[in-house]
Amino acid sequence: MMSALECAAAVRIDLINNTDECKRSAFAQHLTPPETAELAVSMFSDGHDGSLRCLDLGAGSGILSVAVYERYGELIDYIDVVESDPVLASVCQDELRRLNVTFNLVVGDALRATPAKQYDRVILNPPYKKMSAGDPRQQFMPFRSANLYVAFVAIGLTRLSPGGELIAIIPRSWMNGGYFTSFRRFILEGYSIDSFHIYESRTNVFAETDVLQETMIVRISNNRQRETVHVGSSNGRADQVTWKSYPAKDLIDSNSLVIRVAPECNGSVQSTISAEGLCPSTGKVVDFRSRERIYYDRPNEEGIYPLVYAGNFAGGAIEHPLDFGKPQWFRADTQTTINQLTREGFYVVVKRFSSKEERRRVVAYPLHVQSPIGIENHLNFIHAGKPRKVVPLSSMELAQGLALWLNSTFIDKWFRDVSGSTQVNAGDIKAMPCPSLSDLERIGVYWRADLTQEMIDAICEELK
Ligand SMILES: C[S@@+](CC[C@H](N)C(=O)[O-])C[C@H]1O[C@@H](n2cnc3c(N)ncnc32)[C@H](O)[C@@H]1O
């Protein structure tokens, strides 16, 4: 006979096949696969005394509640489930009726209608959608929320009983970056991050519904921060999980609101890009806002400058003009557009977005600008000035050494440990570990466009 979770898994596949793409996307209905549901509930601690009050927020077809039931059985007092889509809510009701458990189904908005009760176990795989500052539901939030998934987690946390535990299947994006600062503060001020599990592959977990976000499972409890945090990782959704334990202080810095997935390597590099006086800026020409002034073929006019994209570096060093489907020329003939140019000097450009095929997330190139150019907005560039006053680097060797360093496996690992995103922002670059500028200049002489990863790592080895 099929287990309750196997039945729920079959219902899930049915729903995925029979729900149209538009509805799935409008309600962010990425239903949890059974292996993920099982792993998630295994991260709860054991229950006791037969009276667990449980809550499932954005329950969908109820697979997470079913997994909670399989985990705790008779230890459950009741499960409250909240789901806004009446069709899924009715499927969920059928699922839960098959179990020997008391449940209460709320068909409504989780941010408004979640019962104001205390729960010992809260589970959720919330919708991932932007939440505007003007969304009237912000009034129910303990802070201004940038995304629905964060709002759901916050609602769940406010319902935890003392010692209660919440498990959420969410993207990794909350762990760094400015958008989620208030969420991290909310958690670090009042709760304990007990454990999390990271999926190393972006595509596997929600493969059937095309979720490309890097996903994690996190357990947060209504306790003071525990001294040890358990971190699990696995590749695909059914792969073997490897667990490691770290002192919480090595992963969580409540002052700077940083949460890492692995401790920082204790190398000799103590400084950062910004502490070394370097400054990342984002390329100032936004191509879709400059449609009337960008060209594929150079017009025969005054005020035309090269425009460079990441594609111009595809061979490892700048090539311009290059035919790869992007306009290569920019007309700067007003004060505003002239201010968008980058003047002569040495710089390092860093791609803001890497593709899935790329081995590294951080991809950097040295750049010698010989007459003013426009740098497109999908590139960051590093200089020695301030955000509003660009000053070129002091030498090409420095630019080459910095590009080598940023392309090292050491920096790639550092970046993956702090960020779940493939996007590299100026803020991420500022915080990157950085050797002294004289050391970078020294290794810079070894730069070539065709170095292999092994060669880059060997050159950078002595600086770590
Ligand atoms: C990512 S799916 C997960 C469903 C289910 N928990 C699972 O793990 O398979 C998110 C669910 O939240 C529901 N949802 C979206 N917005 C909601 C809201 N404001 N309040 C309650 N549920 C919502 C969607 O209909 C969907 O079922």
Side-chain angles (χ1 to χ4, degrees), residues 27-32 56-61 63-64 82-85 88 108-110 125-127 137 148 152:
F27 286 87
Q29 293 175 340
H30 302 289
L31 306 182
T32 310
D56 180 352
L57 287 179
S61 59
I63 193 163
L64 292 177
V82 184
E83 170 57 50
S84 60
D85 174 5
L88 279 184
D109 185 320
N125 166 11
R137 296 171 299 176
L148 259 187
F152 268 59

Side-chain angles (χ1 to χ4, degrees), residues 265-311:
C265 311
N266 282 331
S268 57
V269 184
Q270 301 292 335
S271 192
T272 62
I273 295 271
S274 80
E276 288 301 311
L278 304 180
C279 177
S281 292
T282 305
K284 302 202 185 314
V285 180
V286 181
D287 59 1
F288 65 85
R289 290 206 197 112
S290 313
R291 287 209 180 94
E292 296 82 46
R293 41 179 72 249
I294 57 179
Y295 308 92
Y296 287 85
D297 296 315
R298 191 184 202 295
N300 197 7
E301 298 171 24
E302 292 288 294
I304 302 296
Y305 297 87
L307 176 61
V308 301
Y309 287 80

